Amino acid sequence: MKKPSKEYSKKPSKTQIIEKGIGELYQENPEKADEALFGRTTDPVSRRGFLTGLSVMGVVLGAEVVFGRFMPGGLIPAALAESTEKFRIAGKHAGLIILNDRPLNAEVPAHLLNDLITPANKLFVRNNGIPPENVDVNNWTLTIGGESAKTSKTYTLAELKKKFKHHTYQLTLECGGNGRAEFDPPAKGNQWSLGAVGCAKWTGVRLKDVLKDCGIKDDAVYIGYHAADEHLSRDPKKAAISRGVPMHKALEDESLIAWSVNDEDIPAMNGHPLRLVFGGWPASTSGKWLTGISIRNIVHDGTKMTGKAYRTPCKPVAPGSKVPDEDMCIIESMPVKSLVTFPKSGVRHALKDEFSANGHAWVGDKAVEKMHVSIDFGQTWQEVNITKPVNRNAWQHWQAKVKFPQTGYYELWAKATDSDGVSQPMIIPGWNPKGYLNNACHRIAIQVV
């Protein structure tokens, strides 16, 4: 049984505890998890024999814990820790990897992202709070306001669809923390590998058409969104997240208020029934379960817009540095990046045959101009074909044919270069306190026989 760390002798607050998932809580401090989740306390000497909370656990488990008086404290019930059924997200592909259950976050293995247009069931899930339940589409409204709106207006979803022209774009959404797991010293937060990215086809109305219908004052500099997801504490005074973008991004043709993905309703965990979509920028700006937009005369100061959230040091810093908040800059357009989506890493390949591989490449508000692969750890690079994007902010597709000189172990490395001539780094880029913007080259393993 894991014992509490010295760090946890500081006794976390109730709010800190309930904002984490059950696995994370028991991993950090089993006894505190007992108390927070079940109100369960044990004899401080024997660490056995529940003094309180056994009835609550019975309710959660669906039956009385018959010999509960003998159950060690700080032990996660096996029914919750060792379920034989794989945890699934309704409407999502079974291959998604669950990173956290509170809030729910899940990514997609690279080899499952091989589709040219990402299917809705393979879109990653990044939540900051508790998604709304029992969504009433017929009464869902969106209110536009803020100090730089000439008038405030509220639209039903039906009015949005009727009043404004519909537009469809394929847009790349990527979590700002995608690739965080590779940073050293490690950064706190969900340890995303590579799969917090997707490029689906979104349909909705242009944000700029709706903003202009309300009128935009000359002093407008930013928009901020408001949404229906609850803060993990369920405190109605707190927002789970409320981010935004500068006006120049809000007014681009491809910036959408969307209700459809790939010609179907948006999945519940991806923002049904209404969300913002800003291709090429951190996906946290693309607010889900959208209920309001403020036109601001200042940089939006909502939840996760301040401090170190979604910011990186304005200047390079040494790994592990403590960076003052005033020296952190908001992440905007995402850096150039690529994935090998076929074949799956670890493939066996016959020496006599030509090896085929393919994947996607993308970059914030620019385009990917060149794509290269290497089989000798970057000593030499082979340029390969890459397609043009179907529209601005969509990812592009590359294909490679490779011959190996002899049998053995190889790695295929993929490197994209954007329209400014900027390429992906071979290894982890500049360290930052929150582990954002890792765009290092992706690689897969190949056994040539």
Side-chain angles (χ1 to χ4, degrees):
M1 189 186 312
K2 185 174 180 178
K3 294 298 180 185
S5 65
K6 290 183 179 179
E7 181 183 354
Y8 252 77
S9 63
K10 292 185 279 188
K11 192 177 181 178
S13 69
K14 192 82 171 177
T15 299
Q16 288 174 316
I17 285 178
I18 62 177
E19 291 180 5
K20 296 180 178 178
I22 186 170
E24 188 176 2
L25 285 173
Y26 272 93
Q27 184 179 31
E28 290 182 344
N29 188 320
E31 282 78 15
K32 291 300 177 187
D34 272 350
E35 185 178 358
L37 296 174
F38 306 113
R40 191 170 69 162
T41 58
T42 54
D43 184 297
V45 177
S46 68
R47 309 308 302 161
R48 290 174 181 265
F50 290 114
L51 301 178
T52 62
L54 196 57
S55 59
V56 175
M57 178 178 284
V59 170
V60 174
L61 298 176
E64 177 188 359
V65 185
V66 178
F67 293 109
R69 64 187 182 281
F70 303 125
M71 187 176 181
L75 188 69
I76 185 171
L80 303 178
E82 300 176 2
S83 172
T84 56
E85 293 185 10
K86 187 175 180 180
F87 183 58
R88 292 283 302 273
I89 303 174
K92 286 294 181 180
H93 192 281
L96 261 69
I97 301 167
I98 310 298
L99 299 182
N100 198 357
D101 62 341
R102 186 180 173 88
L104 185 58
N105 290 292
E107 67 173 316
V108 187
H111 70 279
L112 291 183
L113 287 170
N114 196 43
D115 306 88
L116 300 184
I117 300 174
T118 307
N121 70 348
K122 293 181 182 175
L123 286 172
F124 70 96
V125 174
R126 174 42 174 136
N127 289 340
N128 288 270
I130 303 169
E133 299 175 349
N134 304 316
V135 169
D136 182 356
V137 175
N138 293 327
N139 290 300
W140 193 272
T141 60
L142 172 67
T143 298
I144 308 296
E147 61 269 22
S148 291
K150 290 183 179 177
T151 58
S152 177
K153 291 186 179 182
T154 297
Y155 308 89
T156 65
L157 186 50
E159 288 170 341
L160 278 176
K161 292 181 178 180
K162 182 178 180 180
K163 185 177 179 68
F164 301 100
K165 183 179 178 181
H166 298 186
H167 296 270
T168 298
Y169 296 102
Q170 193 182 342
L171 300 169
T172 307
L173 294 186
E174 181 182 13
C175 176
N178 194 26
R180 174 180 290 141
E182 296 182 6
F183 279 99
D184 186 30
K188 292 183 178 179
N190 294 293
Q191 296 301 299
W192 300 101
S193 178
L194 296 165
V197 64
C199 190
K201 188 177 65 173
W202 300 91
T203 298
V205 296
R206 284 175 171 158
L207 172 59
K208 69 178 182 180
D209 293 342
V210 181
L211 296 181
K212 288 178 179 177
D213 189 58
C214 299
I216 304 170
K217 293 181 180 177
D218 292 339
D219 63 353
V221 296
Y222 232 87
I223 66 101
Y225 67 72
H226 313 285
D229 51 338
E230 291 181 89
H231 189 271
L232 291 174
S233 66
R234 292 197 184 276
D235 182 344
K237 296 178 182 177
K238 295 182 177 180
I241 185 169
S242 176
R243 303 202 67 229
V245 298
M247 292 305 298
H248 70 82
K249 183 65 178 176
L251 299 178
E252 289 181 349
D253 286 350
E254 299 82 7
S255 297
L256 296 180
I257 300 172
W259 55 75
S260 169
V261 60
N262 300 339
D263 303 319
E264 296 183 353
D265 287 346
I266 298 171
M269 286 295 150
N270 294 111
H272 175 72
L274 199 65
R275 68 171 297 170
L276 285 167
V277 187
F278 296 114
W281 282 42
S284 55
T285 60
S286 296
K288 300 187 286 187
W289 310 290
L290 185 69
T291 58
I293 296 172
S294 296
I295 307 175
R296 308 297 311 273
N297 62 7
I298 59 171
V299 174
H300 184 53
D301 53 358
T303 302
K304 295 189 181 293
M305 278 297 296
T306 58
K308 292 181 173 58
Y310 298 101
R311 293 176 182 236
T312 56
C314 303
K315 298 179 180 178
V317 299
S321 299
K322 291 184 177 180
V323 187
D325 289 354
E326 58 269 26
D327 292 338
M328 302 286 285
C329 292
I330 299 172
I331 300 169
E332 296 189 340
S333 183
M334 296 290 281
V336 64
K337 199 166 180 178
S338 63
L339 273 182
V340 184
T341 56
F342 177 85
K344 182 180 179 180
S345 185
V347 65
R348 289 172 65 86
H349 179 75
L351 176 65
K352 64 182 177 59
D353 297 331
E354 194 173 51
F355 180 77
S356 296
N358 62 263
H360 315 295
W362 62 94
V363 55
D365 289 326
K366 307 185 187 85
V368 178
E369 288 290 332
K370 294 181 179 178
M371 190 72 209
H372 292 83
V373 297
S374 175
I375 59 171
D376 55 12
F377 301 97
Q379 298 302 300
T380 62
W381 292 92
Q382 172 186 336
E383 186 167 357
V384 300
N385 293 328
I386 186 162
T387 64
K388 298 291 183 184
V390 296
N391 55 250
R392 187 170 174 272
N393 296 143
W395 66 14
Q396 300 164 241
H397 317 293
W398 60 267
Q399 304 84 34
K401 301 285 187 182
V402 176
K403 286 290 290 182
F404 295 98
Q406 64 181 68
T407 59
Y409 173 84
Y410 293 86
E411 293 188 1
L412 181 83
W413 291 53
K415 181 177 72 173
T417 301
D418 70 19
S419 48
D420 287 345
V422 177
S423 299
Q424 290 180 255
M426 285 188 62
I427 57 173
I428 198 87
W431 182 91
N432 61 89
K434 299 285 283 185
Y436 295 125
L437 305 184
N438 177 8
N439 68 331
C441 291
H442 183 212
R443 58 198 177 106
I444 63 168
I446 305 154
Q447 290 282 356
V448 177
V449 295

